[in-house]
Amino acid sequence: MKITGIESCTLTVPTPKPMALNYAQQKLVVAEISTDEGIAGLGYSLVFGGGGAEAVNAYLETRLKPVLIGEDPLFVERLWERMFRADMGIKKQGVAAYALSALDIGLWDIAGKTAGLPLYKLWGAVSDRVPAYGSGGWSKYSEKELVAEAEKYAALGCRHYKMKIHHPDPRENAKRVGLVRRALGEGVRMMVDVNQRLDVLGNIRQAQALEEFDLVWYEEPVLADDIAACAEVAHAIKIPVATGENNYTRFEFRDLVERRAASYLMPDVCRANGFSETMRIGRHAAAHQIAVAPHVVHELSLQVVGALPNGFLVEFIDWTPPDLFEEMPGCKDGHFHISERPGHGMALAKGAKEKYRSG
């Protein structure tokens, strides 16, 4: 089998309210890989909020696409190495990692379709049923909108809910967390997300103000680049730290593990150089008894969690319009059942490219 063509584009998709208060749109960089045997692979990277998506597509087209044309797509690991080493002067982070991820995801889609298996079974299945946590609680939500969203996910059976804590006053953040805690009751546990907004001392103060809520985790406390500071926070506060959505390679995650900087790791398959590297990260975490809860794109992430013994949860952000994909996995009783469709199981809906294409 040979790769005969790769068509890429950027899709701009509006988000629903109230999420649109913080992010009016999302962008996906899509890569469709064709082969001489008629088996095609779909890969895509969600660029959250859309910033830089056009640069991702440009790097994919000009630097990575030529590496794959004419190659056997089933040599996924070999092609991953070639893409990773295509430009040794550019670290595979940010733009380059998003681009590589989209292509790696597409290659694995071909591998699964060729084998006639969903990816989680191709990788050695642990479970076909993956628990989800509701995610949102953005800073611009009113208290009413915040509670309504949390209750929406609880009504779908989600036993965990994560919200943002972005107010400069830690007491205001604690007030909003307490409001949601009371609304959800004891049947739902909560997490909070700092989104890299505080320094070490600010996080210590904020975490102290939240101790009473028995939080599952305290997410991304400091700049993702500063692993030493993340470790300092993790050692100083009583709430377990989660991080990893803005870390890109197994080497960064190795440093997080060695510094004991997190109790939960959160690789994003669209940032962490695709399924290939995400699975390496997950298996490394397993060797250290660290749970993995991938960041966003639950429709792809559930393949990873379904294949890892230390897979914990997938993040469920209910934003996707019904005309973007042929079928999105549905959340029932707080879980996603992994489809038996070969590959990752996702396909763009008819007319989606024409409706949402922006480049």
Side-chain angles (χ1 to χ4, degrees):
M1 187 187 299
K2 301 296 181 184
I3 296 171
T4 55
I6 300 173
E7 180 184 342
S8 70
C9 64
T10 302
L11 305 183
T12 301
V13 186
T15 55
K17 292 181 179 180
M19 185 180 180
L21 295 170
N22 281 82
Y23 293 97
Q25 63 186 21
Q26 305 291 1
K27 291 190 178 183
L28 284 80
V29 177
V30 176
E32 296 174 295
I33 306 174
S34 303
T35 69
D36 59 356
E37 295 188 15
I39 299 176
L42 172 67
Y44 59 92
S45 283
L46 170 64
V47 182
F48 206 86
E54 291 75 17
V56 172
N57 194 24
Y59 189 79
L60 186 157
E61 278 283 335
T62 60
R63 302 305 302 157
L64 299 184
K65 176 178 173 178
V67 175
L68 300 185
I69 298 297
E71 296 293 328
D72 185 338
L74 298 184
F75 281 79
V76 181
E77 296 283 357
R78 183 170 73 185
L79 295 178
W80 187 94
E81 289 289 341
R82 288 184 178 179
M83 289 190 290
F84 195 78
R85 297 172 182 272
D87 290 303
M88 295 307 292
I90 296 178
K91 294 186 76 172
K92 299 310 177 288
Q93 300 174 341
V95 167
Y98 276 107
L100 195 158
S101 295
L103 292 169
D104 181 77
I105 290 165
L107 291 173
W108 276 112
D109 194 32
I110 291 173
K113 289 174 179 175
T114 302
L117 291 171
L119 292 178
Y120 81 106
K121 286 188 174 179
L122 191 66
W123 296 329
V126 173
S127 177
D128 62 356
R129 190 167 178 264
V130 176
Y133 71 89
S135 179
W138 299 94
S139 59
K140 293 183 180 179
Y141 285 14
S142 67
E143 291 184 352
K144 182 179 179 180
E145 288 166 332
L146 178 62
V147 170
E149 181 186 76
E151 290 178 337
K152 178 190 76 171
Y153 287 117
L156 291 171
C158 295
R159 306 268 55 94
H160 298 83
Y161 175 71
K162 183 178 79 181
M163 59 176 286
K164 310 299 181 180
I165 50 169
H166 293 173
H167 198 282
D169 186 341
R171 294 169 297 183
E172 285 299 314
N173 290 320
K175 177 184 174 183
R176 282 168 68 88
V177 172
L179 178 72
V180 177
R181 171 74 282 159
R182 290 188 295 275
L184 293 178
E186 295 302 317
V188 179
R189 296 195 66 194
M190 291 182 62
M191 307 87 138
V192 296
D193 192 348
V194 180
N195 287 121
Q196 310 181 73
R197 280 170 161 75
L198 298 174
D199 60 14
V200 172
L201 290 178
N203 277 294
I204 293 172
R205 295 189 188 101
Q206 179 64 83
Q208 287 173 342
L210 297 171
E211 286 178 8
E212 64 180 289
F213 300 113
D214 187 29
L215 299 173
V216 177
W217 71 55
Y218 183 92
E219 185 174 328
E220 213 174 27
V222 296
L223 287 173
D225 309 85
D226 195 347
I227 293 174
C230 188
E232 190 173 351
V233 172
H235 299 163
I237 69 175
K238 295 180 180 180
I239 308 169
V241 166
T243 197
E245 70 184 71
N246 287 298
N247 298 105
Y248 294 89
T249 67
R250 62 190 181 276
F251 307 110
E252 291 177 70
F253 282 89
R254 178 193 62 193
D255 291 345
L256 286 167
V257 170
E258 290 181 350
R259 289 178 179 267
R260 296 186 295 114
S263 299
Y264 300 92
L265 294 181
M266 313 179 76
D268 182 323
V269 297
C270 298
R271 301 178 186 178
N273 288 278
F275 280 135
S276 295
E277 189 77 338
T278 300
M279 289 299 294
R280 296 185 196 109
I281 291 163
R283 288 169 178 147
H284 180 73
H288 296 269
Q289 297 293 311
I290 296 175
V292 172
H295 178 247
V296 300
V297 287
H298 66 271
E299 72 277 9
L300 299 177
S301 297
L302 57 85
Q303 300 284 346
V304 172
V305 175
L308 291 175
N310 56 326
F312 180 34
L313 298 167
V314 292
E315 183 172 15
F316 180 25
I317 303 178
D318 187 17
W319 72 272
T320 313
D323 59 356
L324 181 58
F325 294 107
E326 286 185 0
E327 183 181 353
M328 283 287 285
C331 184
K332 184 177 180 181
D333 298 327
H335 290 74
F336 291 105
H337 185 273
I338 307 178
S339 169
E340 291 302 301
R341 291 190 297 272
H344 53 56
M346 298 302 297
L348 290 173
K350 183 178 180 180
K353 284 196 297 182
E354 291 75 16
K355 180 175 181 178
Y356 295 115
R357 186 165 184 154
S358 54

